[in-house]
Amino acid sequence: MRKDNGTEKQRPAAGRTLNKIRISSVIFILIVALLDGFYLYLEWKRCEEIVASEAITLAHSLQSLLHTEHITELKGSPADLNTAGYNLAKEDLMRLAKNNSIIQSAYLLNESDGNIVFLVDSEPHGSPDFSLPGEIYDAAAENYWELLSSGETMIVPQANEGSKSLVSVFVPLKEYAGDGNVIAVLGIDYRASDWLGAIWKNLFPDIIIAACFLMLCMSLVKILEHHFRFKELNRRLMYNEALYRSIFEQAPVGIAIVNDKTFVNESVYGRTVINRAFENILGRTKEELAGVRWPDITHPEDLEADLEKFNQFKAGIIRDYSMEKRFIRPDGSSVWTKMRVGRLAAGDSDNSLHLCLLEDISESKAISDILKESERSKTVLLSNLPGMAYRRDFDPSWTMHFISEGCYNLTGYRPESLIGNKEVAFNDIISPEYRENLWNEWKRVVEEKLPFKCEYEIKTADGKRKWVLEMGQGVYDEQGNVVALEGIDLDISDRKEMEDKLRHYNDHDSLTGLLRRHCLIERLERDNTKKRALVGVNLSTVQSLNATCGFQYTQDLIKRIAGLLKQECNKSRELFKIYEAQFAYLITDYKEIEELNDFCIGVVQRLEAVLTLERIGGRYRSP
């Protein structure tokens, strides 16, 4: 289970702090934005009051230009068109609208027959917006009646007349200055866009102030966030630098910064230019390496190959290179290293920095040499092995996965012919009478995890039979299941032939070729259930001829007598030589004792013909 360290705890904490700062910044900006909005709302209302006040002041100033005595003459009917008061009031209003570009139109209203009607307007005769005297003012609302009775000025915002959006200012005209009766209402229409434009014009400085304040707050928040990020980055940089130094110094691989063919001096390029592992590998300190060129401490046998690659590296032909080379230590010993060279920083072509990584491979090189020698010895052993080595499956076909080259000399088949049962299965090479016993024996030793040893015969590719001695063992997995069999098959045909000869010499008499006494005993012990009899022939008297005729003559006579005795042998009669001049017949499956008696008489008759000539007597003892 992986343990958390202090660094792993600090990183989530720093992330949480940064998230908190971001959330707080967003909330602060939203609050500032809301305050800015509320401030602009208040300023909007103030600007609306300013614009309305200016409009009312303008309306009051325009009121003084109108002649009330002319207006009192108007009756609010088409008949007014021909009166001098109408014409004078018309000229006043037209002049008023013409001299004030922000005024859309001006008109006088009054009450007639319970309706608010036009008295006169500033529109020229015949224009689409011209209103006749006495024409009802459709846009009049209930509060318009209050104008006629109260004498208060009123502003109607965003009143719509047709397709136009207007703001109207209504000022009551009184008969006399002061508290006279209201004789008419002066109406002045402003375009809503001009009205709003005037408000925005007054509000613009406040918008600039609010925007600057908001941007200032956002800048402060951003500065705070960047300040925290800078502190966090600075902390991480310090940690990474400490981590880099720790890794650089504790790395098991030697690291050095090299300038061309010279090791870098730390006083110029800082402290982390050569680590401890690099010093240990070369057996020199930083100070000692500062005055050494790497070609001078490179093994002479490796220098040419190293310089060739280094020149290609400097010329830009290759980006980096690696090789196995030896360095010379101060004590004169050499150390095998795996070196990798890569560019660190680009300089001019004659003075470029590069990074050199070294790994001490002396031990692995020694092991590699041992393995090579072991592989060589193994190859020599397998090539001179009187047989073959194998690795095969534990299956009835003995499917091969590896067979040494000795397979051809042993079986007459190439190894690739048997691998994977490509052309022939190894089980097919084994003589049929041994297959079942071989399989059962392997099953037994595999179950008991014992070594295997067995002798059997195989049939070679040219049809010959050979004896082999197989020795092997099972290969097991972690669960104890057999995954393969490994071992060797040795050709023991010569040994078997020698054993057969020795066994023949041991079992047969060299003079007569008859089986010896111990074979007779073995036969009697093995076949103890059959009807059998022994008939002995004692020629000890023949030994008396040694003194007169010589040993060789006696041996020839015994050999000739043995030949006569063999003529009586058949499937149920077998002759043995049990002593130097004594023979015995093993007779089996005879019917009656008379049969044995007749056989003995026949043997005596054969011997008498030879022994009489040699003047040797004998006697027959019946069974």
Side-chain angles (χ1 to χ4, degrees):
M1 182 175 179
R2 202 181 93 179
K3 296 182 179 178
D4 294 335
N5 54 35
T7 302
E8 292 174 342
K9 293 179 179 178
Q10 288 176 0
R11 288 182 179 175
R16 288 194 296 269
T17 303
L18 182 58
N19 288 334
K20 288 180 180 179
I21 291 177
R22 287 174 177 170
I23 294 172
S24 300
S25 300
V26 171
I27 293 174
F28 176 72
I29 294 300
L30 288 176
I31 292 173
V32 171
L34 289 175
L35 291 175
D36 269 358
F38 184 68
Y39 168 75
L40 291 175
Y41 171 75
L42 295 178
E43 289 300 308
W44 177 273
K45 292 299 183 182
R46 186 181 65 83
C47 292
E48 276 188 334
E49 291 178 358
I50 292 173
V51 172
S53 176
E54 291 176 352
I56 293 171
T57 301
L58 178 61
H60 282 295
S61 64
L62 294 176
Q63 179 184 9
S64 63
L65 298 176
L66 299 174
H67 301 282
T68 55
E69 64 272 14
H70 296 156
I71 296 172
T72 55
E73 297 177 1
L74 301 176
K75 304 299 182 181
S77 65
D80 291 339
L81 292 173
N82 298 321
T83 64
Y86 177 83
N87 292 325
L88 290 174
K90 182 78 170 177
E91 290 177 4
D92 291 338
L93 292 177
M94 290 180 66
R95 186 168 52 252
L96 175 64
K98 183 178 180 181
N99 294 333
N100 292 274
S101 60
I102 63 173
I103 297 176
Q104 174 70 22
S105 62
Y107 46 88
L108 294 175
L109 303 174
N110 206 345
E111 180 186 0
S112 177
D113 298 331
N115 295 314
I116 303 297
V117 297
F118 283 98
L119 295 179
V120 63
D121 65 5
S122 62
E123 299 296 331
H125 291 283
S127 66
D129 296 327
F130 172 72
S131 300
L132 287 171
E135 185 177 336
I136 297 174
Y137 182 55
D138 295 332
E142 290 294 332
N143 51 4
Y144 284 30
W145 295 95
E146 298 178 2
L147 295 172
L148 299 175
S149 59
S150 65
E152 298 292 334
T153 301
M154 184 175 68
I155 297 176
V156 179
Q158 299 295 324
N160 294 319
E161 290 188 1
S163 60
K164 298 178 180 179
S165 183
L166 305 172
V167 177
S168 301
V169 179
F170 296 98
V171 180
L173 299 178
K174 296 183 180 181
E175 185 176 359
Y176 303 106
D179 297 331
N181 296 325
V182 176
I183 60 174
V185 174
L186 172 62
I188 301 174
D189 289 341
Y190 295 89
R191 284 183 290 272
S193 58
D194 294 336
W195 185 272
L196 292 175
I199 296 175
W200 281 109
K201 183 178 180 181
N202 286 278
L203 188 63
F204 184 73
D206 299 302
I207 294 175
I208 296 298
I209 293 172
C212 290
F213 181 71
L214 180 62
M215 291 177 64
L216 177 62
C217 292
M218 292 177 66
S219 299
L220 291 174
V221 169
K222 206 67 177 176
I223 290 171
L224 178 63
E225 185 177 338
H226 281 307
H227 176 68
F228 176 79
R229 285 178 177 272
F230 175 76
K231 288 181 63 178
E232 179 63 19
L233 288 174
N234 186 54
R235 185 188 64 78
R236 290 186 182 181
L237 181 62
M238 293 175 62
Y239 167 76
N240 289 336
E241 183 179 1
L243 180 63
Y244 162 72
R245 289 182 181 274
S246 177
I247 293 175
F248 185 85
E249 291 298 333
Q250 300 180 28
V253 177
I255 307 172
I257 298 175
V258 184
N259 189 351
D260 196 13
K261 296 183 177 67
T262 306
F263 294 101
V264 169
N265 189 336
E266 69 176 37
S267 62
V268 178
Y269 295 97
R271 296 175 57 191
T272 53
V273 291
I274 298 176
N275 71 346
R276 194 175 306 160
F278 200 90
E279 294 177 327
N280 295 335
I281 291 173
L282 297 188
R284 291 176 170 86
T285 63
K286 296 184 181 69
E287 292 74 18
E288 293 172 338
L289 288 171
V292 175
R293 298 171 71 254
W294 61 259
D296 298 336
I297 59 174
T298 298
H299 196 282
E301 295 180 5
D302 303 328
L303 182 58
E304 183 179 354
D306 194 0
L307 287 174
E308 180 181 356
K309 290 188 176 182
F310 181 73
N311 291 332
Q312 294 177 354
F313 170 72
K314 282 190 63 180
I317 299 174
I318 55 177
R319 293 180 58 86
D320 52 43
Y321 70 92
S322 62
M323 63 177 295
E324 293 182 358
K325 62 174 286 187
R326 286 164 289 180
F327 283 97
I328 305 298
R329 287 176 168 171
D331 60 0
S333 63
S334 61
V335 55
W336 272 103
T337 65
K338 176 69 176 294
M339 182 181 71
R340 183 174 182 85
V341 175
R343 196 170 303 281
L344 178 66
D348 54 47
S349 59
D350 296 326
N351 186 23
S352 58
L353 295 177
H354 60 273
L355 192 66
C356 179
L357 305 179
L358 288 185
E359 181 183 356
D360 188 348
I361 59 171
S362 299
E363 185 176 350
S364 61
K365 266 290 188 180
I367 294 174
S368 177
D369 292 341
I370 294 173
L371 290 176
K372 287 180 180 179
E373 179 62 24
S374 175
E375 188 65 25
R376 186 194 65 79
S377 300
K378 175 185 174 183
T379 303
V380 172
L381 176 62
L382 291 179
S383 61
N384 291 279
L385 188 71
M388 68 178 190
Y390 66 82
R391 180 183 175 92
R392 68 192 186 203
D393 287 339
F394 181 43
D395 62 7
S397 297
W398 308 116
T399 304
M400 294 290 182
H401 293 289
F402 165 78
I403 312 179
S404 65
E405 287 296 328
C407 173
Y408 182 74
N409 293 331
L410 180 65
T411 67
Y413 294 98
R414 299 299 306 172
E416 55 269 20
S417 300
L418 277 80
I419 293 177
N421 302 331
K422 183 177 180 181
E423 295 180 9
V424 62
F426 187 74
N427 190 62
D428 298 334
I429 299 176
I430 301 172
S431 297
E433 63 269 24
Y434 297 97
R435 293 174 185 173
E436 183 177 357
N437 179 62
L438 185 66
W439 173 255
N440 292 333
E441 183 62 15
W442 262 114
K443 284 177 63 178
R444 182 185 69 81
V445 299
V446 164
E447 289 175 358
E448 299 178 10
K449 293 182 173 56
L450 299 173
F452 177 84
K453 186 175 182 180
C454 184
E455 297 177 358
Y456 57 90
E457 287 185 285
I458 62 171
K459 190 174 183 181
T460 64
D462 56 3
K464 294 181 180 179
R465 294 172 72 93
K466 285 186 178 180
W467 275 96
V468 296
L469 169 63
E470 182 173 338
M471 295 181 290
Q473 63 183 11
V475 179
Y476 306 91
D477 59 17
E478 295 179 356
Q479 288 73 37
N481 301 317
V482 62
V483 295
L485 305 177
E486 291 182 344
I488 57 174
D489 283 321
L490 301 178
D491 186 355
I492 58 171
S493 298
D494 293 342
R495 193 199 79 187
K496 277 292 185 180
E497 183 179 355
M498 182 62 68
E499 288 178 355
D500 290 342
K501 288 180 179 179
L502 292 175
R503 186 180 298 109
H504 181 81
Y505 293 150
N506 183 60
D507 293 345
H508 294 78
D509 177 62
S510 58
L511 179 64
T512 62
L514 296 175
L515 291 173
R516 296 181 186 272
R517 179 174 179 273
H518 69 272
C519 295
L520 174 60
I521 296 173
E522 290 176 0
R523 197 70 52 84
L524 291 173
E525 291 176 349
R526 185 172 64 248
D527 300 331
N528 54 7
T529 59
K530 295 182 180 179
K531 190 176 182 180
R532 58 198 177 169
L534 286 176
V535 175
V537 179
N538 187 356
L539 299 177
S540 58
T541 54
V542 175
Q543 299 295 333
S544 60
L545 296 177
N546 285 335
T548 58
C549 300
F551 177 77
Q552 187 62 42
Y553 179 82
T554 304
Q555 294 294 308
D556 290 340
L557 179 59
I558 292 174
K559 183 177 182 180
R560 185 150 46 95
I561 293 172
L564 293 174
L565 294 176
K566 286 181 183 180
Q567 294 178 7
E568 297 294 333
C569 293
N570 56 29
K571 288 180 64 176
S572 60
R573 299 171 191 164
E574 192 172 4
L575 181 63
F576 297 86
K577 184 179 181 183
I578 55 176
Y579 288 110
E580 181 62 28
Q582 293 183 18
F583 300 87
Y585 283 102
L586 175 62
I587 302 175
T588 58
D589 296 333
Y590 62 90
K591 296 179 181 179
E592 300 293 340
I593 192 69
E594 287 78 9
E595 182 179 343
L596 294 177
N597 191 37
D598 294 341
F599 170 73
C600 291
I601 293 173
V603 171
V604 170
Q605 290 175 351
R606 282 181 178 274
L607 293 177
E608 282 181 346
V610 177
L611 295 177
T612 300
L613 293 175
E614 299 295 338
R615 296 182 298 280
I616 298 174
R619 60 178 180 170
Y620 164 64
R621 186 168 57 187
S622 62

